[in-house]
Amino acid sequence: MNGFCNRVLIGGVLAVVWQCQIAGAQGVPNRTEPQEQIDPKTTTRVTLGGTSGTPGTSVVVPIYFTPAENLQVGRIKLEVHYVSVNMKFSKLDTGIAAELGGVDVHAEVQEGKNERGVETQTVTVTASFLSPAPPQKGIPAGLLAYMTLRLTDTARTASIGLRPTAEASDLGGNKPVQNLRAFETKVDVLAPGTQPLLACFFFTH
């Protein structure tokens, strides 16, 4: 029970953070790149929430899922790529939407190097139903999971890009979801002693 209550609390905090990020993005238009128009009725979305932290601390990156209208999704595979010199994967926790929907979420980590020989990590997050009985509804919208990443003690001030790719299949028929988008984000490494802005809610209320 305590574990479930903790997930609900964390999910609520992450939801507030995400709403603040959306509000900030809407309030400051991007003048260098045109805004891409996406139809939420026909586009299935997997979105990573941005965050920040100081060297030697852990940061949490939420993973949100929004299916297209009337679409029931049975399985999601998300790969998140990033340079791992200053940041390492720690763990993956199930989000409140997956918890309530009976969805199994787990992660696998692969070490690698990019074309410049710099260390990288690829975190593969899979969400699916393990029950032998076919579920009546697909993976619900909301907080699917959240990754905990550890910033190294020697991490330099920078923005580390998290680049996702995703694939999904519908419920029952395993037909690939065609109009699927995965949205990237960044983890900002702040100077030591700087307190990150966790959420605008805590500073405006």
Side-chain angles (χ1 to χ4, degrees):
M1 178 63 68
N2 290 336
F4 177 77
C5 292
N6 289 337
R7 288 190 180 94
V8 172
L9 179 60
I10 294 174
V13 173
L14 292 176
V16 171
V17 174
W18 182 235
Q19 290 298 325
C20 292
Q21 290 173 340
I22 293 176
Q26 291 175 343
V28 183
N30 190 333
R31 297 182 180 180
T32 58
E33 296 181 4
Q35 294 287 338
E36 181 180 0
Q37 298 298 322
I38 295 176
D39 187 353
K41 294 184 178 180
T42 60
T43 305
T44 297
R45 289 154 287 162
V46 180
T47 308
L48 302 178
T51 187
S52 60
T54 54
T57 65
S58 294
V59 297
V60 175
V61 176
I63 303 172
Y64 299 95
F65 172 65
T66 308
E69 193 173 273
N70 299 322
L71 177 66
Q72 301 296 327
V73 175
R75 185 177 184 273
I76 302 169
K77 180 181 178 182
L78 173 71
E79 292 186 349
V80 183
H81 312 269
Y82 55 90
V83 172
S84 60
V85 175
N86 296 317
M87 184 174 68
K88 307 294 183 181
F89 176 81
S90 179
K91 64 176 181 175
L92 181 80
D93 290 292
T94 302
I96 186 63
E99 182 95 12
L100 295 177
V103 180
D104 175 73
V105 181
H106 67 273
E108 297 179 357
V109 184
Q110 181 177 359
E111 307 284 346
K113 291 185 178 181
N114 61 17
E115 63 280 359
R116 297 182 179 180
V118 180
E119 294 179 0
T120 62
Q121 284 187 332
T122 299
V123 180
T124 301
V125 178
T126 304
S128 60
F129 296 98
L130 297 182
S131 174
Q136 296 181 350
K137 294 184 178 181
I139 298 173
L143 179 61
L144 188 66
Y146 44 97
M147 297 190 301
T148 299
L149 304 167
R150 177 75 178 179
L151 298 176
T152 64
D153 294 334
T154 56
R156 298 181 179 180
T157 302
S159 290
I160 304 174
L162 303 182
R163 302 182 305 277
T165 58
E167 60 184 50
S169 56
D170 67 358
L171 185 64
N174 292 324
K175 181 180 179 181
V177 174
Q178 297 298 324
N179 198 9
L180 173 64
R181 293 291 309 275
F183 296 93
E184 64 184 27
T185 191
K186 293 181 179 180
V187 173
D188 292 324
V189 182
L190 307 178
T194 303
Q195 295 297 324
L197 300 179
L198 294 179
C200 60
F201 177 87
F202 299 104
F203 296 91
T204 58
H205 292 72

